[in-house]
Amino acid sequence: SPLPPPPPPMTVDNALRLDGDITGDGGVLKTVLTPGSGASHPEPGDEVIVHYTGTLPAVPPAEPTVFDSSRGRDAPFRFKLGEGAVIKGWDIATKTMLKGEKAKVVLAPSYAYGDAGSPPKIPPGATLEFEMELIGWVSHKDLFGDEGVIKTVIAEGEGWERPLDLAEVQVNVEAYAVVARAGGNLKKGEVLFSGKQTFSLGRKECPEAWEKVLRDMKKGAKVKLVCDGKYAKPGPGTIYVPEDMFAAKLAYELELVGWLKVEDVTKDGGVVKKTLTEGEGWERPNDGARVTISAKLRVGDAAPFLVHENLSFKVNTGIVLDGLDRASQSMTKN
């Protein structure tokens, strides 16, 4: 009977081989010199740490020329994988490697510096050879690099804007126990909270992990955070977490509904402006310009104690309260 077909080569991302002609076009040739450990590979967005020596191949008996080496500097090289921080062949080869793996990687010009090269060290159209060692990586999902908070993106969101410092964000939150220790008062999967929360960024009104992810989220984005140890303890914004919860892990699902922009106009906290409705254009009143505003003055959340409709004055002439003057100068026409 005919022999069974050979098994398909091991791949990463269902596209790249882990050894040999890993791109399938001869552009990136990889030979594993020392196998790595584990079964996971770095992913795009991870910060990878590598040692390398780069050489220009030569025709024997000439010796290859070393053009760069992290080992010569005794300092590993760090970069964000898949973000164009290095030559194309490096991004491709690195994501096929295991932790601790050493490999010889040969890059065709189209996966290195192309026809132009990188003078004076890399001539035009050069094929490059690297000996690479993947020391390790910090997962972009591991928020603090200690496996205390692992992030999973559920939805990317829309647009390009992200909330800045002091922004008042509105977030749909669901908090639940992932694992509960024996004898605890919390069961696995038990929902602790489900609803909308509003708080300001940069004022310690929510957990540190929330702050970190929300600053990088777009409107409508949704993430899941699995928190362990100190990151699962109750604190600002999570008063619904029991002090004696005995939970090994908590999960938070956060959906960024939207936010109001907040600006420290005077840069010292003296005048802080929250934008309720965006104005038109970009122009703002200069010194001496006459403005007309509507203003309501209140203390905290109390009812206004003074209301001005169509209050007209010249900017920066001392006619009105300095704070009102400063805020008016930072506004656009509504």
Side-chain angles (χ1 to χ4, degrees), residues 50-117:
V50 299
H51 259 313
Y52 70 92
T53 298
T55 59
L56 290 168
V59 177
E63 293 291 328
T65 303
V66 175
F67 62 84
D68 193 16
S69 175
S70 64
R71 296 189 184 279
R73 296 187 294 272
D74 196 26
F77 179 59
R78 294 171 175 259
F79 67 95
K80 287 286 188 73
L81 188 62
E83 296 187 1
V86 293
I87 54 179
K88 183 179 178 182
W90 261 51
D91 264 337
I92 291 172
T94 305
K95 68 180 180 180
T96 70
M97 299 178 72
L98 299 172
K99 184 177 181 179
E101 179 180 316
K102 290 184 180 180
K104 173 184 173 183
V105 178
V106 180
L107 304 180
S110 58
Y111 287 88
Y113 291 96
D115 293 336

Side-chain angles (χ1 to χ4, degrees), residues 61-260:
E63 293 291 328
T65 303
V66 175
F67 62 84
D68 193 16
S69 175
S70 64
R71 296 189 184 279
R73 296 187 294 272
D74 196 26
F77 179 59
R78 294 171 175 259
F79 67 95
K80 287 286 188 73
L81 188 62
E83 296 187 1
V86 293
I87 54 179
K88 183 179 178 182
W90 261 51
D91 264 337
I92 291 172
T94 305
K95 68 180 180 180
T96 70
M97 299 178 72
L98 299 172
K99 184 177 181 179
E101 179 180 316
K102 290 184 180 180
K104 173 184 173 183
V105 178
V106 180
L107 304 180
S110 58
Y111 287 88
Y113 291 96
D115 293 336
S118 182
K121 291 186 176 182
I122 311 298
T127 294
L128 303 182
E129 184 177 301
F130 292 92
E131 183 177 294
M132 301 175 64
E133 178 185 3
L134 180 59
I135 297 171
W137 65 89
V138 178
S139 172
H140 67 289
K141 297 178 181 178
D142 184 354
L143 288 191
F144 300 105
D146 59 3
E147 299 185 352
V149 182
I150 303 299
K151 179 185 77 171
T152 302
V153 176
I154 299 173
E156 292 286 350
E158 58 188 32
W160 57 271
E161 285 190 287
R162 293 170 171 81
L164 301 175
D165 199 34
L166 302 181
E168 184 180 280
V169 296
Q170 300 92 43
V171 183
N172 285 333
V173 178
E174 182 167 302
Y176 54 92
V178 178
V179 178
R181 295 193 180 113
N185 61 353
L186 209 58
K187 297 179 180 179
K188 181 178 179 180
E190 180 178 341
V191 176
L192 299 173
F193 179 85
S194 182
K196 183 179 289 187
Q197 291 186 240
T198 300
F199 48 84
S200 298
L201 297 180
R203 293 188 170 177
K204 297 184 179 179
E205 296 178 3
C206 68
E208 182 183 7
W210 295 19
E211 281 261 4
K212 190 174 179 68
V213 298
L214 285 166
R215 291 172 184 271
D216 196 39
M217 291 172 66
K218 298 176 288 188
K219 185 177 180 180
K222 187 174 183 179
V223 301
K224 177 181 176 181
L225 303 179
V226 177
C227 305
D228 202 351
K230 64 180 180 180
Y231 302 104
K233 294 180 180 178
T238 59
I239 57 174
Y240 43 77
V241 177
E243 286 284 354
D244 58 344
M245 62 180 197
F246 293 102
K249 288 186 179 180
L250 288 182
Y252 298 102
E253 290 190 8
L254 309 177
E255 180 184 12
L256 182 56
V257 178
W259 65 89
L260 297 177

